[in-house]
Amino acid sequence: MASFDTDEYLVPMGDYESMRDLVDDAARKGTEILTFKSTRAMPIRKFMEPFHDHKECGSEKEPICLKVQEGNLFAEVYNCDHERSPKPQWAERAKKQLYRSDYVLAHYVHYATVTGGTVKTREEAERENVDWHQHYRESRGSDRITDEIKQAVMVHTKTTVPEYTAEWKERCMAGMKAAHGKDCRVGFPWPENNDNTAEKATAEGYGYNCFVNEKLRDFWVPKLREAIDERSVRVEHLLNMNMIR
């Protein structure tokens, strides 16, 4: 069981090509909860276009904001994360979880608040020959953070509305020290995901600031587009059938 927002994508990684296989493997190894770290992704500049229709976005002649171009998928537009995988420990603060409903008895947004471990009595622990403590904390055996390279990663594609990109040309320049709340909200991916290079900016001077999930870009997005196209064909066929009737 799980509770995710519609802008949170679970991306199987490594050799996995489905979340079902990943979950089955985790269950066989005794994992009760799979935890996904969360960081907010940014929209990539090449999928965006100038926008002015907001009081903070300049004028039609001089737009200072950007919006996502129509026809692009959220999964490709926001495939641009400040943090490369594996994400740092602080990214657990807004984590999301997949869990076994027979083990997690109560769950609240980011946290398994009541589990089989927390309600286990001393007598039950003694019968099972396991340690029991008055103060219980879920172990990393039962609550496992996903391996973002070999298992799966969560991509959080929370919408960056146009007004958040105001003055992006100034804020995204390499070396720009942004004031509080004035940071660059537009993604410029590091070439080949390599930030250990002398080249720190695009030819226009915008600083590289994010990393692309290559499996999402090269494997999953094409499959998603293929599935969308197939669905469109099926829907068109059904509509034509209804018109004939």
Side-chain angles (χ1 to χ4, degrees), residues 18-228:
S18 78
M19 286 302 298
R20 177 182 296 174
D21 290 342
L22 168 62
V23 170
D24 286 345
D25 280 353
R28 281 192 287 269
K29 295 174 183 177
T31 301
E32 308 285 1
I33 305 167
L34 274 174
T35 292
F36 297 82
K37 295 178 180 178
S38 177
T39 54
R40 183 172 177 173
M42 296 186 296
I44 299 174
R45 171 64 184 96
K46 74 175 183 178
F47 296 116
M48 308 181 80
E49 62 187 12
F51 179 86
H52 71 277
D53 195 15
H54 187 277
K55 63 181 181 179
E56 297 180 14
C57 291
S59 63
E60 186 173 2
K61 279 190 173 182
E62 295 185 8
I64 61 172
C65 296
L66 295 172
K67 72 169 185 176
V68 175
Q69 297 168 344
E70 291 186 7
N72 294 308
L73 304 175
F74 263 54
E76 63 182 345
V77 172
Y78 286 86
N79 184 11
C80 193
D81 205 304
H82 273 300
E83 304 292 338
R84 70 161 75 241
S85 291
K87 294 181 175 66
Q89 187 175 0
W90 59 259
E92 289 185 53
R93 77 207 187 293
K95 64 188 178 183
K96 289 300 181 71
Q97 296 178 317
L98 277 170
Y99 54 90
R100 295 176 62 95
S101 58
D102 60 346
Y103 182 77
V104 176
L105 308 179
H107 197 277
Y108 180 74
V109 188
H110 305 294
Y111 309 102
T113 54
V114 181
T115 69
T118 57
V119 300
K120 187 186 294 292
T121 65
R122 184 192 296 272
E123 291 75 15
E124 289 171 331
E126 289 176 349
R127 285 198 299 270
E128 297 172 14
N129 196 30
V130 296
D131 292 336
W132 184 91
H133 300 282
Q134 183 176 0
H135 302 288
Y136 179 81
R137 182 173 184 175
E138 210 69 43
S139 72
R140 280 306 181 198
S142 57
D143 179 357
R144 189 177 299 277
I145 297 173
T146 58
D147 184 323
E148 295 181 345
I149 306 300
K150 298 180 179 179
Q151 290 184 305
V153 65
M154 184 172 76
V155 179
H156 189 184
T157 67
K158 186 173 183 178
T159 300
T160 298
V161 294
E163 56 267 32
Y164 288 177
T165 69
E167 301 177 346
W168 68 274
K169 289 185 178 181
E170 293 77 24
R171 298 180 186 181
C172 297
M173 291 299 292
M176 178 68 175
K177 293 184 178 180
H180 180 68
K182 302 289 186 180
D183 53 330
C184 176
R185 301 289 288 273
V186 180
F188 295 90
W190 286 94
E192 307 298 324
N193 279 343
N194 180 20
D195 60 344
N196 187 24
T197 175
E199 183 183 351
K200 303 295 183 183
T202 68
E204 297 82 11
Y206 302 119
Y208 298 127
N209 57 8
C210 62
F211 302 91
V212 168
N213 183 315
E214 294 170 324
K215 184 167 184 179
L216 175 58
R217 179 193 65 197
D218 300 334
F219 181 79
W220 289 113
V221 167
K223 286 181 74 71
L224 178 56
R225 285 197 174 279
E226 181 181 344
I228 291 173

